[in-house]
Amino acid sequence: MFQALDDKERDIVINAMEEKRARAGEFVIQQGENGDVLYVVDEGQLDCTKRFKPNEDEKHLKVYQPGESFGELALLYNAPRAASIRAKTDCILWQLDRETFNAIVKDSAIKKR
């Protein structure tokens, strides 16, 4: 997602990010809610689950590790959160807001296509 950025754009994104800490067991994102930030995992692990039908149990999709990001779908498509993300361990995350994402990351990707 950040690969299309040049050095100047990457610096702007990094400087715009804010630290967020999540304790083990805490939801960072809940399926269905509105999303206005994406997250990059710095430390810790997070479980990603999704409920495909209203009366079904949640299905475990993956474990997010340091260096991975999540939450961008809500920003890209202005859609509700597609899955739930819960901290498996205490975590340090970096969050990027919709305005910065749209102004830099999305525009840069479009320009370079």
Side-chain angles (χ1 to χ4, degrees), residues 5 75-77 100-111:
L5 301 179
L75 301 186
L76 284 168
Y77 304 111
T100 306
F101 178 82
N102 283 334
I104 299 168
V105 179
K106 194 173 175 182
D107 289 349
S108 180
I110 289 169
K111 285 181 208 170

Side-chain angles (χ1 to χ4, degrees), residues 20-34 37 39 45-51 57-62 64 70 81-91 93 95:
K20 175 179 174 55
R21 292 179 179 261
R23 294 226 175 261
E26 178 183 341
F27 278 99
V28 176
I29 286 177
Q30 291 199 329
Q31 184 175 345
E33 68 186 10
N34 290 329
V37 296
Y39 299 92
Q45 296 180 327
L46 301 101
D47 285 318
C48 176
T49 58
K50 181 175 179 77
R51 188 179 312 271
D57 289 339
E58 289 181 332
K59 301 226 186 302
H60 186 267
L61 302 178
K62 75 170 286 165
Y64 282 98
F70 59 89
R81 297 292 193 187
S84 294
I85 310 288
R86 182 187 293 201
K88 187 173 185 169
T89 63
D90 288 351
C91 297
L93 310 169
Q95 62 184 33

